[in-house]
């Protein structure tokens, strides 16, 4: 089966600009996650979707970050306006519905904010 | 708050030897799963091994096994017969809330010496 797809792979923007990332999960996976991975750290959950509903967005900086998953398939994560500290790799993952299931990760988008 | 601690930022092992990566965690869940994920230099995270907390038997996947000590909240990963392809960042993860979103440790960078 095809893996989790993400685009773009790399993005360089200036602070205060906006940026959007796209994720296409594995077909049939109801749950989709966005993680932020700052250099030298483990991934940190930003938001979790189940189908097209938000399950957990408690760690999403809602003043600048937004995410949506229309029709319960693809998802978009947006940052507006970007700050220097947003420089990180943004990982998308998906899993089937249920507890303790493997999360399948995409290749990530490396964002550099200058 | 759920926390995951990986106390070894870097480890190295000779090819064909055995290495153990340590992890301690804290969770308020009574029944949960624990995970080790591998992130090679290409950055795509993949699942290495998973442990169900209510199972006393330690999980094993080929050359990878865990030493799970529930009372001590310890979950170490043992890699036997290390191979060059095992070189990567290894992340320990435990559930956040509801047993699905994950909290990751900071990772251990494993080098394999030929």
């Amino acid at each position: 089966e095809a893996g989790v797809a993400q685009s773009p792979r790399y993005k360089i923007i200036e602070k205060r600009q906006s940026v959007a990332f796209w994720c296409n999960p594995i077909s049939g996976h109801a749950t989709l996650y966005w993680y932020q991975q700052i250099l030298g750290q483990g991934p940190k959950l930003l938001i979790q979707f189940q189908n097209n509903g938000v399950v957990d967005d408690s760690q999403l900086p809602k003043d600048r970050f937004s995410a949506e998953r229309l029709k319960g398939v693809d998802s978009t994560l947006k940052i507006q306006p970007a700050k220097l500290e947003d420089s990180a790799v943004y990982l998308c993952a998906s899993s089937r519905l249920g507890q303790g299931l493997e999360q399948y990760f995409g290749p990530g988008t490396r964002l550099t904010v200058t | 708050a759920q926390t995951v601690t990986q106390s070894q930022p870097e480890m190295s092992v000779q090819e064909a030897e055995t290495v153990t990566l340590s992890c301690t965690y804290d969770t308020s869940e009574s029944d949960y799963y624990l995970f080790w994920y591998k992130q090679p230099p290409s950055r795509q995270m993949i699942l290495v091994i998973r442990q169900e907390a209510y199972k006393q038997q330690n999980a094993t996947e080929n050359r990878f096994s865990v030493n799970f000590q529930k009372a001590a909240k310890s979950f170490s990963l043992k890699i036997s017969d290390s191979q060059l392809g095992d070189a990567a960042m290894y992340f320990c993860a435990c559930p956040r809330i509801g047993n699905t979103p994950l909290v990751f440790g900071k990772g251990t960078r494993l080098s394999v010496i030929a």
Side-chain angles (χ1 to χ4, degrees):
Chain A
E1 61 184 357
V4 176
Q6 290 188 247
S7 68
R9 291 296 307 277
Y10 305 91
K11 190 74 177 178
I12 301 174
I13 62 172
E14 295 182 352
K15 59 183 179 183
R16 291 187 291 274
Q17 286 186 326
S18 63
V19 65
F21 312 128
W22 173 82
C23 172
N24 182 238
I26 292 173
S27 177
H29 282 194
T31 307
L32 184 148
Y33 312 82
W34 282 103
Y35 290 91
Q36 180 192 58
Q37 186 177 18
I38 293 173
L39 186 64
Q41 298 184 19
K44 183 186 82 171
L45 179 75
L46 292 175
I47 189 167
Q48 176 191 354
F49 292 95
Q50 186 170 300
N51 296 311
N52 61 350
V54 175
V55 174
D56 185 347
D57 65 354
S58 58
Q59 299 185 108
L60 187 74
K62 297 180 186 65
D63 58 335
R64 298 183 301 106
F65 286 65
S66 65
E68 60 182 9
R69 190 184 184 197
L70 300 176
K71 301 180 181 179
V73 181
D74 293 9
S75 178
T76 303
L77 176 69
K78 296 179 181 177
I79 308 175
Q80 182 180 9
K83 293 185 175 181
L84 295 177
E85 58 262 35
D86 298 332
S87 294
V89 175
Y90 290 84
L91 297 169
C92 179
S94 70
S95 71
R96 296 190 183 280
L97 195 60
Q99 293 191 356
L101 298 179
E102 177 179 0
Q103 293 185 24
Y104 294 81
F105 285 80
T109 296
R110 182 184 296 276
L111 173 67
T112 302
V113 182
T114 62
Chain B
Q2 286 80 354
T3 58
V4 178
T5 302
Q6 293 181 250
S7 59
Q8 306 151 316
E10 296 184 0
M11 294 280 286
S12 62
V13 62
Q14 293 280 348
E15 198 174 5
E17 295 295 311
T18 296
V19 65
T20 299
L21 309 183
S22 64
C23 172
T24 58
Y25 64 93
D26 188 19
T27 180
S28 57
E29 299 289 331
S30 56
D31 187 20
Y32 51 91
Y33 296 80
L34 296 164
F35 303 83
W36 278 97
Y37 278 85
K38 171 185 178 181
Q39 189 174 42
S42 66
R43 304 200 72 86
Q44 195 139 4
M45 302 261 287
I46 55 174
L47 179 67
V48 175
I49 198 165
R50 172 178 53 203
Q51 173 78 42
E52 297 178 68
Y54 71 88
K55 288 187 176 180
Q56 293 187 341
Q57 186 174 8
N58 289 325
T60 299
E61 289 286 346
N62 301 314
R63 298 182 294 107
F64 299 87
S65 61
V66 301
N67 183 4
F68 173 50
Q69 304 288 333
K70 189 174 184 179
K73 294 187 176 177
S74 170
F75 181 57
S76 61
L77 174 69
K78 186 171 81 170
I79 306 174
S80 304
D81 186 24
S82 297
Q83 300 176 359
L84 294 177
D86 295 333
M89 285 291 291
Y90 286 82
F91 293 97
C92 176
C94 82
R96 208 166 84 83
I97 300 172
N99 222 353
T100 304
L102 296 177
V103 176
F104 288 85
K106 290 189 174 182
T108 296
R109 182 177 303 279
L110 178 66
S111 301
V112 180
I113 302 166

